[in-house]
Amino acid sequence: MARASKRPALDAPRGRSGMLSRSPQPSRDRFGRFTEWIARAMGTPWFLLGLSAFCVVWLVWNTMLPTGWRFDSADNGFTALTLVLSLQASYAAPLILLAQNRQDDRDRVQIEQDRQRAERNLADTEYLAREIVALRLALNEVSSEVITRDVLRDELRALAEDLQARASGESDDEIAEREERRRKAERREKAERDARER
């Protein structure tokens, strides 16, 4: 008789049977949440009132009731009450410290995230500032190189005058002199325009 093989089927992922047979593990965070709950509970006025009421009931029980009902005598200095309170304090201090350590870890992670966010914001701000400066420079270049209709009209008029002068037989010296006068006038107009813009 053929033995059944214990190999997993090839159509099933490896380790799947192990995951199903494993019992669920308690969360490591559960104890941390418990310590924080204890620390929060011990830091409330209700805890102090409850502890005070417990101590008052304990003292009244062991001083006012008949001797047979007392379990912690005043003659021994309420030894059992002292042990109960010291036991409570000895467990409360480490639980509170554990809760503080968890809070410190969370604060450290939060500070790191805030630092990274601040670095990203700073980098974004610097990038936007550089882009704004680049746009402003490009806009200044474009505005200084813009050819308005008036400038274009003047250039075309000067070109037409040059063509008429050449056609009428003017000498090159006269054309160059007129061109120089026109350029001086343009420079003067540009200087006046710049002065008005400032």
Side-chain angles (χ1 to χ4, degrees):
M1 189 174 204
R3 246 196 292 176
S5 111
K6 295 204 175 194
R7 280 192 211 166
L10 294 176
D11 60 345
R14 292 178 108 188
R16 184 154 178 153
S17 61
M19 287 175 59
L20 294 176
S21 64
R22 211 180 303 158
S23 63
Q25 297 292 324
S27 170
R28 291 181 184 175
D29 205 36
R30 190 174 297 161
F31 184 71
R33 286 196 306 266
F34 172 72
T35 60
E36 287 178 343
W37 178 79
I38 292 289
R40 275 195 302 272
M42 285 185 172
T44 61
W46 299 112
F47 175 77
L48 292 175
L49 288 173
L51 187 61
S52 300
F54 172 77
C55 290
V56 167
V57 168
W58 186 290
L59 293 173
V60 168
W61 183 280
N62 289 301
T63 55
M64 301 291 192
L65 289 180
T67 311
W69 287 16
R70 297 179 190 171
F71 55 87
D72 190 19
S73 121
D75 299 335
N76 294 334
F78 299 108
T79 308
L81 178 62
T82 306
L83 287 173
V84 167
L85 291 177
S86 64
L87 183 67
Q88 180 266 334
S90 67
Y91 275 100
L95 288 174
I96 290 170
L97 287 174
L98 283 171
Q100 285 177 344
N101 288 342
R102 280 175 53 85
Q103 186 61 43
D104 289 344
D105 292 342
R106 272 199 302 272
D107 290 344
R108 199 173 301 116
V109 168
Q110 185 65 39
I111 288 169
E112 179 63 25
Q113 289 174 349
D114 290 345
R115 186 187 62 76
Q116 290 173 354
R117 195 174 300 120
E119 284 179 356
R120 280 195 307 269
N121 288 343
L122 181 64
D124 290 347
T125 304
E126 288 175 351
Y127 171 76
L128 290 174
R130 284 193 303 268
E131 287 297 313
I132 289 172
V133 168
L135 285 173
R136 191 174 290 162
L137 290 174
L139 188 61
N140 284 342
E141 287 176 9
V142 167
S143 67
S144 66
E145 294 175 2
V146 167
I147 299 177
T148 60
R149 274 190 235 162
D150 295 335
V151 172
L152 188 58
R153 232 180 252 134
D154 292 342
E155 290 291 327
L156 288 173
R157 190 176 299 125
L159 186 60
E161 288 173 4
D162 286 347
L163 288 174
Q164 285 177 354
R166 286 186 196 274
S168 66
E170 268 186 46
S171 68
D172 289 338
D173 293 335
E174 291 172 344
I175 293 173
E177 190 178 315
R178 192 172 58 247
E179 183 67 28
E180 186 63 33
R181 280 195 309 262
R182 188 178 58 77
R183 284 189 182 142
K184 283 181 185 177
E186 282 178 3
R187 280 191 290 252
R188 196 173 36 247
E189 286 176 9
K190 185 177 181 197
E192 288 173 3
R193 231 182 4 251
D194 289 345
R196 275 191 305 240
E197 288 175 1
R198 289 181 190 165

